């Protein structure tokens, strides 16, 4: 018999003499090959779409990480200076230096900020760090043990020990501390024995979720730390998610008088998200784009659920993965030169994927030659010859879209009430979802712009032109199709600039126009046969008079020049380049992800529906033959006990008789359906199975035991 098999099904540990790896050994650990994957086979990893997905994600992820590192840099720099500065200040009073870091309510992102702080402290060899989670500090004893254990076992903090002491440290590390030995006395002894130099490291304790700690535990812990700060250089860092009032409300005066508090402010979560969106996800250097609805869906999850930038990035990663895993045809979603090289690798199935794109049908319908239509639909080689031009049109369209979006953001972003939106991401969604030029919001913006004075209007449009030119120089010029994009926009921007010069030269002199010229007289009214027809004619004439008056209100040279400038902006930029997604060039689906239903189904779960499906039809998840049902309402004895109890409880009303429920459960499980079953003795095993299933159903929240009737259960769902 195998010695590792026993009745108790225990866990067996074989000690092979391995000890804790030192600093040098840790660097020699083997890392997995960069191309290997534990979930996907080689037949998937070696496909072009997967290679392009990995390249696109790594590029975006590195860009976001660099951006977040620079956004955290200033606050972390001040915080590190505060910690290091406490080591130079020798104080024997019982006052604990404390830093309160206002992190905001985006809880999932807090640990990344404190991880960056820990890495900076370790890089400067200035401190040993212990991160205390509220879940590990339910009592004061557990908090002290976690604190001491975390400081002593801080591996990265060993870098501040000289190389000649490294072997001695490795010998000491082989004997790890037990939790029962983690006391403040042990910490004092360890600190005195290990650090003899003048520059001793600080002992930093980080509480990332300050509001989640029990008030009594937190108060006693601070009093203990302040009592020992004369001999141990403690520094406390509090992660405050709400406001400083939470600190003042939790710590009474006898505790707050023992700390020296300094407040640090981090970047707000919406500000950080806008920075990531504008500089990374909306950057023209990336060929992948999100549709307006998908983009709005992800931002709504951020704004209305968790304020987590990390969650938004993971949602974007899922969209990226779903897009590229559509097949090798989506590997064309890359730079123009790389896409041209991959056209020859496309198979017949990949070409059929391109032909099935929704925007491909309008492209075929606009071809007038029947032979060309047949060639496009049947000949793969002919379609491959057409793909370079189609790819170029798509990439150039998104470059022009992004450049025109800069102009529109500066033009309408600061208008009263912001009809089209204030932020660039809002304008991006609006422009992709609908034709902005015909929307009432854009007409309202045009009306507000026409009310501006000459100096304000000229200054605003000049800023728009400068911002667009700067964007073309900084972001577009370095791209492959950058020169083509600039060649299209430069003449249009120049025509707008000349129109602005005309506005500057325009005067306020009026022109001689008759506002009632061409107005029909009552004699010109057609013969009416009823009062309804007369009413319709009068309404139509009033609309014509209103339009004619609006056209004749621009009686000054300045007003005419202003309207001409707005008309050029609307024609060249808004209508020409900021077109909705349905008007984008053919095969734009290769560059835009718009499957919002899949994203919603996989990112936002429906636990109630999933539980009902699992309990009503276990075969859906378990895929076992014994649970397979011909009809979902069918009851068979091979189903799990919890599923049988659940399906039986669906047939009852609000109050469920436990005895009748048990009898029905027994008849299903045992298969006996005799009338004398109620008088039979119930098998204790079946009764135990029923009791456990009812307890599980109660734990899931479907029922509760009734207090009015002891032998009844109350149904909580309907």
């Amino acid at each position: 018999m195998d010695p590792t098999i026993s009745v108790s099904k225990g866990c067996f540990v074989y000690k092979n003499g391995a000890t804790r790896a030192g600093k040098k050994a840790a660097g020699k650990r083997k890392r997995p090959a960069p191309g290997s994957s534990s979930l996907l086979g080689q037949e998937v990893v070696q496909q072009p779409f997967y290679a392009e997905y990995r390249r696109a994600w790594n590029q975006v992820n590195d860009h976001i990480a660099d951006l977040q590192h620079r956004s955290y840099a200033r606050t972390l720099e001040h915080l590190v200076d505060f910690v290091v500065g406490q080591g130079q200040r020798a104080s024997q009073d019982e006052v604990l230096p404390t830093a309160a870091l206002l992190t905001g309510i985006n809880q999932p992102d807090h640990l990344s900020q404190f991880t960056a702080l820990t890495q900076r402290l370790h890089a400067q060899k200035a401190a040993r760090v212990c991160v205390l989670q509220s879940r590990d500090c339910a009592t004061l004893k557990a908090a002290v043990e976690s604190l001491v254990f975390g400081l002593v076992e801080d591996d990265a903090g060993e870098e501040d020990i000289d190389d000649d002491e490294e072997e001695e440290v490795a010998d000491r590390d082989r004997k790890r501390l037990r939790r029962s030995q983690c006391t403040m006395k042990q910490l004092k002894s360890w600190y005195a024995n290990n650090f003899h130099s003048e520059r001793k490291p600080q002992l930093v304790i980080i509480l990332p979720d300050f509001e989640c700690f029990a008030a009594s535990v937190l108060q006693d812990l601070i009093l203990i730390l302040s009592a020992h700060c004369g001999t141990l250089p403690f520094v406390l860092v509090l992660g405050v998610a709400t406001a400083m009032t939470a600190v003042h409300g939790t710590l009474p005066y006898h505790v707050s008088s023992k700390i020296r508090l300094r407040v640090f402010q981090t970047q707000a979560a919406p500000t950080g998200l806008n920075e990531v969106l504008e500089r990374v996800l909306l950057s023209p250097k990336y060929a992948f784009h999100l549709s307006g609805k998908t983009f709005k869906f992800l931002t709504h999850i951020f704004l209305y659920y968790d304020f987590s930038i990390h969650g938004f990035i993971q949602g974007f990663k899922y969209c990226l993965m779903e897009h590229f895993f559509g097949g090798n045809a989506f590997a064309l979603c890359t730079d123009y030169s790389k896409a041209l090289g991959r056209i020859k690798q496309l198979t017949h199935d990949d070409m059929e994927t391109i032909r099935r794109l929704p925007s491909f049908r309008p492209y075929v319908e606009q071809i007038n030659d029947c032979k060309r239509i047949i060639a496009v639909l049947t000949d793969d080689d002919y379609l491959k010859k057409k793909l370079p031009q189609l790819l170029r049109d798509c990439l150039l369209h998104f470059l022009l879209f992004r450049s025109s979006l800069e102009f529109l953001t500066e033009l309408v972003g600061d208008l009263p009430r912001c009809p089209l939106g204030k932020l660039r991401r809002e304008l991006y969604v609006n422009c992709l979802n609908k034709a902005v030029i015909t929307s009432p919001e854009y007409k309202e913006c045009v009306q507000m712009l026409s009310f501006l004075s000459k100096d304000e209007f000229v200054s605003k449009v000049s800023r728009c032109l400068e911002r667009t030119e700067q964007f073309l120089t900084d972001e577009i010029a370095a791209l492959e199709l950058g020169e083509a994009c600039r060649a299209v926009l430069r003449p249009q921007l120049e025509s707008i600039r000349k129109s602005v010069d005309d506005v500057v030269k325009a005067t306020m002199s009026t022109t001689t126009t008759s506002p009632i010229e061409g107005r029909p007289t009552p004699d010109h009214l057609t013969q009416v046969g009823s009062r309804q027809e007369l009413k319709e004619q009068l309404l139509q004439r009033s609309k014509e008079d209103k339009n004619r008056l609006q056209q004749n209100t621009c009686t000054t040279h300045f007003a005419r020049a202003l309207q001409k400038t707005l008309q050029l902006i609307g024609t060249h930029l808004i209508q020409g380049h900021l077109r909705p997604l349905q008007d984008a060039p053919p095969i734009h689906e290769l560059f835009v992800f718009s499957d919002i239903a899949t994203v919603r189904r996989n990112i936002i779960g429906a636990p109630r529906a999933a539980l009902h499906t699992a309990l009503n039809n276990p075969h859906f998840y378990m895929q076992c033959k014994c649970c397979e049902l011909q009809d979902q309402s069918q009851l068979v004895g091979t189903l799990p006990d919890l599923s049988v109890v659940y399906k039986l409880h669906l047939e009852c009303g609000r109050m469920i008789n436990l005895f009748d429920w048990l009898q029905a459960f027994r008849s299903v499980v045992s298969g006996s359906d005799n009338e004398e079953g109620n008088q039979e003795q119930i098998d204790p095993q079946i009764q135990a199975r029923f009791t456990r299933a009812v307890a599980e159903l109660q734990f899931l929240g479907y029922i509760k035991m009734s207090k009015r009737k002891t032998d009844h259960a109350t149904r909580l769902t309907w």
Side-chain angles (χ1 to χ4, degrees):
M1 182 178 180
D2 195 334
T4 60
I5 296 179
S6 71
V7 178
S8 62
K9 301 295 182 182
C11 190
F12 299 88
V13 179
Y14 294 92
K15 296 185 178 181
N16 56 2
T19 58
R20 185 179 170 206
K23 176 184 175 182
K24 294 183 179 179
K28 298 181 181 179
R29 294 175 182 172
K30 294 183 179 180
R31 296 182 179 179
S36 63
S37 175
S38 59
L39 297 178
L40 303 175
Q42 291 297 324
E43 65 278 2
V44 176
V45 174
Q46 295 177 357
Q47 294 294 328
F49 75 87
Y50 183 80
E52 183 57 35
Y53 158 72
R54 294 300 305 173
R55 188 197 68 83
W57 168 245
N58 290 335
Q59 190 177 6
V60 171
N61 192 33
D62 293 342
H63 196 172
I64 293 175
D66 180 67
L67 187 65
Q68 290 182 334
H69 176 75
R70 285 188 278 112
S71 65
Y72 294 159
R74 179 170 299 180
T75 302
L76 294 181
E77 182 180 354
H78 294 324
L79 192 54
V80 170
D81 292 342
F82 171 78
V83 173
V84 175
Q86 300 305 316
Q88 302 173 357
R89 180 184 304 173
S91 60
Q92 300 298 327
D93 54 347
E94 296 182 357
V95 178
L96 178 65
T98 305
L101 184 62
L102 298 179
T103 56
I105 60 175
N106 50 330
Q107 291 283 351
D109 298 337
H110 288 178
L111 288 180
S112 62
Q113 301 180 19
F114 291 112
T115 301
L117 172 63
T118 304
Q119 293 174 353
R120 283 187 171 239
L121 291 174
H122 287 159
Q124 295 190 7
K125 301 180 181 180
R128 296 179 71 90
V129 184
C130 173
V131 179
L132 290 182
Q133 298 282 353
S134 59
R135 61 175 180 268
D136 301 328
C137 303
T139 61
L140 180 62
K141 182 176 181 295
V144 173
E145 290 177 351
S146 301
L147 184 150
V148 176
F149 187 83
L151 291 175
V152 174
E153 301 296 334
D154 186 15
D155 297 340
E158 294 178 358
E159 297 179 0
D160 56 0
I161 303 177
D162 298 335
D163 294 336
D164 54 352
E165 301 178 3
E166 188 171 326
E167 185 177 355
E168 182 182 354
V169 171
D171 294 336
R172 288 197 303 267
D173 284 344
R174 291 191 182 96
K175 186 178 180 181
R176 300 172 67 92
L177 285 175
R178 295 194 300 269
R179 287 283 179 174
S180 59
Q181 298 175 337
C182 296
T183 60
M184 298 303 294
K185 182 179 179 181
Q186 182 71 24
L187 182 62
K188 283 184 180 181
S189 175
W190 167 84
Y191 191 81
N193 295 333
N194 286 273
F195 304 102
H196 307 287
S197 60
E198 296 181 358
R199 186 184 177 185
K200 297 182 179 181
Q202 300 293 107
L203 302 180
V204 180
I205 299 97
I206 299 178
L207 309 181
D209 47 352
F210 171 80
E211 287 87 351
C212 298
F213 276 81
S216 59
V217 174
L218 193 60
Q219 295 170 14
D220 294 339
L221 181 63
I222 292 177
L223 291 177
I224 291 175
L225 294 178
S226 63
H228 292 84
C229 63
T231 56
L232 294 174
F234 286 120
V235 178
L236 186 63
V237 179
L238 306 177
V240 183
T242 52
M244 286 305 298
T245 54
V247 178
H248 301 312
T250 304
L251 305 180
Y253 175 75
H254 73 279
V255 178
S256 60
S257 61
K258 298 294 184 180
I259 62 175
R260 186 188 302 113
L261 187 63
R262 183 174 174 182
V263 181
F264 297 87
Q265 179 73 48
T266 60
Q267 188 182 49
T271 305
L273 177 69
N274 292 334
E275 193 175 21
V276 170
L277 293 179
E278 295 177 4
R279 298 191 181 184
V280 182
L281 302 188
L282 296 182
S283 175
K285 67 172 65 174
Y286 301 113
F288 175 76
H289 303 276
L290 293 176
S291 67
K293 293 182 179 179
T294 308
F295 193 91
K296 186 177 181 180
F297 174 73
L298 293 179
T299 53
H300 277 194
I301 293 177
F302 172 85
L303 295 174
Y304 298 115
Y305 284 86
D306 53 8
F307 272 87
S308 173
I309 299 178
H310 176 73
F312 182 90
I313 295 171
Q314 294 303 312
F316 174 80
K317 181 180 180 181
Y318 179 81
C319 296
L320 188 73
M321 179 183 64
E322 281 287 336
H323 180 76
F324 281 101
F325 274 61
N328 287 330
F330 292 89
L332 300 176
C333 178
T334 181
D335 300 335
Y336 184 59
S337 59
K338 293 182 180 179
L340 294 180
R342 287 175 175 165
I343 291 178
K344 297 180 180 179
Q345 303 175 3
L346 298 178
T347 62
H348 175 71
D349 294 337
D350 300 332
M351 303 306 295
E352 288 297 323
T353 300
I354 295 177
R355 292 187 178 102
R356 286 193 294 266
L357 296 177
S359 62
F360 191 79
R361 180 175 179 176
Y363 167 71
V364 176
E365 291 176 349
Q366 70 180 1
I367 302 176
N368 297 324
D369 190 0
C370 296
K371 294 182 179 179
R372 291 173 54 197
I373 293 177
I374 296 174
V376 168
L377 294 177
T378 59
D379 191 355
D380 294 342
D381 295 333
Y382 181 82
L383 182 57
K384 288 181 180 180
K385 294 179 182 179
K386 295 294 181 180
L387 280 180
Q389 184 61 37
L390 296 177
L391 295 175
R392 186 180 186 277
D393 293 342
C394 287
L395 292 172
L396 185 60
H397 166 75
F398 288 113
L399 292 181
L400 293 172
F401 182 93
R402 184 64 182 85
S403 303
S404 302
L405 187 65
E406 289 292 316
F407 190 98
L408 183 63
T409 303
E410 185 67 28
L411 183 67
V412 303
D414 57 350
L415 293 178
R417 299 190 305 274
C418 301
L420 280 175
K422 181 179 181 180
L423 302 175
R424 189 177 287 103
R425 58 177 173 83
E426 298 174 345
L427 293 170
Y428 175 82
V429 171
N430 289 331
C431 293
L432 281 183
N433 286 342
K434 59 185 177 181
V436 177
I437 193 68
T438 59
S439 63
E441 294 83 4
Y442 179 76
K443 295 179 181 179
E444 185 179 355
C445 291
V446 171
Q447 187 177 14
M448 292 181 184
L449 291 172
S450 63
F451 291 157
L452 297 177
S453 64
K454 179 190 290 188
D455 295 338
E456 291 176 343
F457 182 79
V458 171
S459 175
K460 175 178 281 292
V461 179
S462 300
R463 289 198 308 270
C464 297
L465 293 171
E466 292 175 1
R467 183 170 179 175
T468 308
E469 289 284 356
Q470 186 69 25
F471 183 80
L472 290 174
T473 304
D474 297 341
E475 301 289 340
I476 301 295
L479 303 178
E480 290 185 73
L481 300 178
E483 288 300 325
C485 178
R486 297 172 70 182
V488 175
L489 275 182
R490 284 281 175 82
Q492 299 175 352
L493 297 178
E494 190 63 28
S495 63
I496 296 175
R497 184 176 286 106
K498 291 181 180 179
S499 181
V500 173
D501 295 338
D502 295 339
V503 173
V504 175
K505 299 176 183 178
T507 61
M508 302 302 293
S509 59
T510 60
T511 57
T512 57
T513 57
S514 176
I516 59 174
E517 183 179 355
R519 176 177 176 177
T521 60
D523 296 338
H524 294 111
L525 290 175
T526 59
Q527 199 70 20
V528 295
S530 64
R531 182 175 298 179
Q532 183 66 24
E533 293 180 3
L534 176 62
K535 181 179 179 180
E536 292 177 357
Q537 288 191 17
L538 292 176
L539 287 175
Q540 182 67 24
R541 193 180 70 176
S542 65
K543 292 180 180 179
E544 294 176 357
D545 293 344
K546 183 178 180 180
N547 294 333
R548 189 178 295 107
L549 288 174
Q550 289 179 353
Q551 295 174 0
N552 292 328
T553 52
C554 302
T555 56
T556 63
H557 293 290
F558 163 70
R560 289 185 179 277
L562 185 145
Q563 290 296 331
K564 180 182 177 181
T565 304
L566 292 176
Q567 186 177 3
L568 286 175
I569 293 173
T571 304
H572 291 334
L573 301 181
I574 311 301
Q575 188 175 4
H577 304 316
L578 294 177
R579 304 195 302 270
L581 200 58
Q582 57 266 24
D583 296 336
I587 70 170
H588 66 268
E589 290 87 357
L590 296 178
F591 302 90
V592 182
F593 178 79
S594 57
D595 190 2
I596 187 175
T598 302
V599 180
R600 181 183 288 111
R601 182 172 61 253
N602 291 279
I603 291 183
I604 296 183
R608 185 171 180 177
L611 281 174
H612 174 75
T613 303
L615 297 177
N616 193 50
N617 185 20
H619 178 73
F620 183 82
Y621 291 105
M622 300 174 66
Q623 296 297 319
C624 59
K625 295 182 179 180
C626 61
C627 297
E628 190 172 359
L629 302 176
Q630 300 297 332
D631 186 9
Q632 291 192 5
S633 61
Q634 186 179 0
L635 261 174
V636 294
T638 56
L639 291 175
D641 295 341
L642 179 60
S643 178
V644 174
V645 169
Y646 176 79
K647 294 171 77 72
L648 288 173
H649 113 284
L650 292 179
E651 302 174 359
C652 303
R654 181 171 179 80
M655 301 296 293
I656 307 175
N657 189 302
L658 292 177
F659 183 78
D660 296 341
W661 201 2
L662 173 60
Q663 293 295 336
F665 175 79
R666 186 185 65 170
S667 63
V668 172
V669 172
S670 62
S672 60
D673 193 15
N674 53 346
E675 298 179 356
E676 299 178 357
N678 294 337
Q679 286 75 24
E680 295 180 1
Q681 184 68 26
I682 299 177
D683 187 1
Q685 185 177 1
I686 294 180
Q687 186 173 358
R689 290 168 56 184
F690 173 77
T691 304
R692 183 179 63 180
V694 170
E696 292 174 352
L697 201 65
Q698 183 179 2
F699 176 76
L700 292 175
Y702 286 97
I703 62 170
K704 71 174 182 179
M705 293 299 125
S706 176
K707 295 181 179 180
R708 297 174 57 187
K709 296 182 179 180
T710 56
D711 58 342
H712 282 69
T714 304
R715 182 176 173 182
L716 300 179
T717 57
W718 57 90

